[in-house]
Amino acid sequence: MAEITIRNLQKKVRPDRKKIKNLLRRVLIMEKCAFIKEVNVCLAGDRMIKKINASFAGKNNPTDVLSFGSGEKRKGRCAYADIIVSIDTARRNARIFHTSWRYETNLYCVHGLLHILGYNDDSKKNSAVMRKKENLYVNT
């Protein structure tokens, strides 16, 4: 099973690292993903994720989640995953969608991991598949 590390790089809220790890483990198990060796999650603020988004995607704005895969590839999938989540965006969207910042954080972590696993949201059909999987993992 993959080693999962959660790094909290912000000070506004205190996430439950154990719950996030368990959630991501469940996704890996249910997706029958034995090839991922390591998942690193960084919980950051908008300022940090904006810098990373500008550097890697050329977009000079904060976003909810960024994910990067690297290492040996099997069937187009990566052995190592880095997921960066904006807690500021999670808090803002929680107010908009009447959820909690914890729910939004979990959703972004799952979304990022699904991208690493090869899922995409680049079309209506692909997006629907991703939403269904996100709901399955975050709401159970």
Side-chain angles (χ1 to χ4, degrees), residues 8 16 19 22 44-45 63 68 74 79 81 83 91 98 102 118 138:
N8 185 20
D16 187 333
K19 284 188 179 180
N22 289 338
T63 188
F68 305 94
R74 293 189 184 153
I83 301 168
R91 293 175 71 203
H98 307 288
R102 282 185 172 88
V138 176

Side-chain angles (χ1 to χ4, degrees), residues 1-2 4 17-34 39 103 106-107 109-110 113-114 117 119 132-140:
M1 183 51 66
I4 299 173
R17 293 177 184 170
K18 187 176 180 179
K19 284 188 179 180
I20 295 171
K21 282 183 183 184
N22 289 338
L23 172 63
L24 295 178
R25 274 193 191 100
R26 188 162 39 95
V27 172
L28 292 172
I29 290 167
M30 293 186 71
E31 291 291 322
K32 296 177 177 70
C33 177
V39 177
Y103 175 86
N106 290 343
L107 180 65
C109 287
V110 169
L113 186 55
L114 288 173
L117 295 177
Y119 292 95
K132 185 176 179 180
K133 288 195 173 278
E134 289 168 356
N135 287 327
L136 170 69
Y137 297 129
V138 176
N139 295 318
T140 56

Side-chain angles (χ1 to χ4, degrees), residues 48-84:
M48 180 180 285
I49 206 164
K50 179 180 177 182
K51 286 180 186 177
I52 297 167
N53 202 20
S55 294
F56 288 94
K59 298 177 181 176
N60 195 27
N61 57 292
T63 188
D64 50 4
V65 61
L66 294 169
S67 59
F68 305 94
S70 62
E72 58 197 65
K73 290 193 173 194
R74 293 189 184 153
K75 297 182 184 176
R77 296 180 181 178
C78 302
Y80 302 96
D82 292 303
I83 301 168
I84 302 109

